[in-house]
Amino acid sequence: MLLTLWRRWPSILKSGSRITLAVIVIALSTNGFEQNAFASDKEKLSEAAKNKQRLKLYESISLKTGLDWQTVAAIDQYERTITRAHPKTRPVREDSVTGVFVSDTNWSGYLNPEKEDTHPESIRFFHGVGKDGSGDGIADRNQDEDLLYSVASQVLVHGSAEDDVGIGLWEYYHNTRAVQRILQFSKLYKHFDRLDLSGHAFPLPLNSIYSFRSTWGNSRGWGGKRIHEGTDIFANHGVPVRSTCYGVIEIKGWNAFGGWRIGIRDLNNLYHYYAHLSGFEKKLKAGDIVRPGQTIGWVGSSGYGRPGTQGKFPPHLHYGIYRDRGLVEWAFDPYPMLYRWEREERKAIRVHH
């Protein structure tokens, strides 16, 4: 992505676009993620092995707390996505199975003079969250089972019913976005009853006629000076638009910029944004679960005006992707991921034929 910005820098300056430091920071922070999108077969096998370890851990915590394993998994997955977004401030062990991070102060208690305290009794006295989840008599912040058990116990303070869990999540995170994400993740795990929900699909059928290239950072004028936060995929009006991921529909309706648009949240805490649609799949509504390749709408040219405005530009799908960083979301260039999904889907089709 940085190479793309560098190559386009002269034209950007010539156009008079204002490229702020924030955009460059976003580019730097997301570049590593985009490179990681091209995971090797060896890395995928490693992830499958980790999922087996994680499921075993989730089932163990479920037995000890009474919280279903899917919600335990959702808590861990949310923690993992926030750790991935803030690796410097939320360090975890390289061999860690869980993604949970608890600061030494929260673990031992704010007034505890021993920040590395591992004694459950003294931690409890100073109102720390650290607990012994493995049964060895030690509350070890570097032990996967202790970490996840401690957070799950905090969430269960009011009970295991969904509303009670929601209250417990709020009291632990003090962040409505965290509550929403964890409940969404839990819903996905319960629906599919498995951990591996990493599959993706290209947003348009591969047998349709379409074209796309990286349009990230291009200047946009309607509605004020701004940059293009996504990739435009040009296609004929009415071509089906498909979900790229396993996810939960977060929003569906009209937006003055995006026209008829739909937003889907996946397990990596990424928000997939599909805009300028001509219409939606009528049965879908906010809160519904979708899978890769499922039709969610059709290519159109809606937007740039009041509800129903059409035809101010050629028909195309605007596809954007945003990472939730805990309190805010940042857009990053989806082109490398789109290119990868298209390539993988074509490869799968060739193999099956």
Side-chain angles (χ1 to χ4, degrees):
M1 176 181 167
L2 291 176
L3 182 60
T4 301
L5 281 173
W6 175 255
R7 287 173 175 170
R8 293 181 51 249
W9 189 255
S11 62
I12 289 170
L13 291 176
K14 186 177 180 181
S15 68
S17 299
R18 295 181 179 178
I19 304 300
T20 65
L21 178 60
V23 174
I24 298 173
V25 170
I26 294 170
L28 287 167
S29 64
T30 58
N31 189 47
F33 174 77
E34 291 164 359
Q35 290 173 357
N36 289 338
F38 296 86
S40 67
D41 291 339
K42 184 177 180 181
E43 287 171 331
K44 289 177 182 178
L45 289 173
S46 176
E47 189 65 19
K50 273 205 167 185
N51 276 338
K52 287 185 179 180
Q53 290 179 284
R54 287 168 184 157
L55 182 57
K56 185 176 179 180
L57 175 62
Y58 301 154
E59 290 175 338
S60 172
I61 299 300
S62 177
L63 286 172
K64 292 172 182 176
T65 62
L67 195 63
D68 58 77
W69 75 260
Q70 292 94 341
T71 302
V72 175
I75 294 169
D76 188 41
Q77 181 63 11
Y78 175 74
E79 289 272 339
R80 184 173 294 106
T81 65
I82 298 302
T83 294
R84 189 179 298 141
H86 302 279
K88 292 183 178 179
T89 57
R90 292 174 56 94
V92 295
R93 303 186 331 273
E94 288 187 8
D95 63 341
S96 177
V97 175
T98 180
V100 171
F101 172 81
V102 180
S103 69
D104 54 3
T105 299
N106 286 341
W107 185 266
S108 61
Y110 184 74
L111 297 177
N112 192 334
E114 180 55 61
K115 295 306 177 187
E116 299 300 323
D117 195 353
T118 60
H119 296 89
E121 295 80 10
S122 56
I123 291 174
R124 189 182 310 115
F125 177 80
F126 286 104
H127 305 290
V129 304
K131 295 183 181 297
D132 170 25
S134 62
D136 62 1
I138 299 173
D140 186 354
R141 195 165 66 96
N142 294 311
Q143 214 269 0
D144 290 326
E145 201 158 5
D146 289 0
L147 275 169
L148 193 50
Y149 176 76
S150 297
V151 176
S153 297
Q154 292 296 310
V155 172
L156 278 170
V157 167
H158 297 286
S160 58
E162 185 171 318
D163 288 346
D164 295 331
V165 168
I167 295 171
L169 288 169
W170 162 250
E171 291 187 350
Y172 181 70
Y173 290 102
H174 296 287
N175 183 347
T176 54
R177 297 165 73 98
V179 177
Q180 182 184 19
R181 302 294 176 264
I182 291 170
L183 294 179
Q184 287 172 328
F185 295 173
S186 178
K187 187 174 184 178
L188 283 167
Y189 285 133
K190 288 175 181 177
H191 181 85
F192 293 105
D193 198 32
R194 69 177 193 270
L195 287 178
D196 182 14
L197 298 173
S198 58
H200 290 90
F202 191 72
L204 299 186
L206 298 189
N207 60 2
S208 60
I209 299 173
Y210 63 85
S211 65
F212 72 107
R213 60 183 179 84
S214 179
T215 51
W216 173 266
N218 288 356
S219 178
R220 288 292 183 270
W222 192 88
K225 206 74 173 178
R226 55 198 175 90
I227 67 166
H228 190 244
E229 294 183 345
T231 295
D232 288 337
I233 307 175
F234 289 89
N236 290 327
H237 196 280
V239 170
V241 172
R242 310 185 301 170
S243 173
T244 58
C245 63
Y246 293 95
V248 177
I249 296 177
E250 204 164 279
I251 195 166
K252 174 187 172 185
W254 181 265
N255 174 298
F257 291 93
W260 298 118
R261 55 66 164 109
I262 191 166
I264 297 172
R265 179 77 52 183
D266 74 8
L267 277 170
N268 287 316
N269 212 347
L270 300 179
Y271 178 76
H272 302 251
Y273 176 71
Y274 312 76
H276 305 316
L277 304 177
S278 61
F280 306 108
E281 173 58 55
K282 292 182 179 178
K283 294 181 181 179
L284 293 178
K285 61 185 182 299
D288 283 356
I289 289 172
V290 293
R291 62 177 68 230
Q294 180 177 341
T295 297
I296 58 176
W298 294 270
V299 171
S301 58
S302 62
Y304 284 19
R306 295 178 179 178
T309 302
Q310 302 273 351
K312 289 196 172 184
F313 39 76
H316 69 277
L317 170 68
H318 169 95
Y319 177 79
I321 195 161
Y322 300 75
R323 176 180 290 284
D324 185 354
R325 298 177 61 83
L327 296 176
V328 295
E329 289 191 329
W330 293 99
F332 61 91
D333 188 358
Y335 178 79
M337 302 177 78
L338 289 168
Y339 176 79
R340 171 198 168 199
W341 298 336
E342 181 193 38
R343 185 181 63 178
E344 289 183 345
E345 193 170 341
R346 288 194 188 281
K347 181 179 177 181
I349 290 172
R350 287 196 299 270
V351 169
H352 285 94
H353 286 82

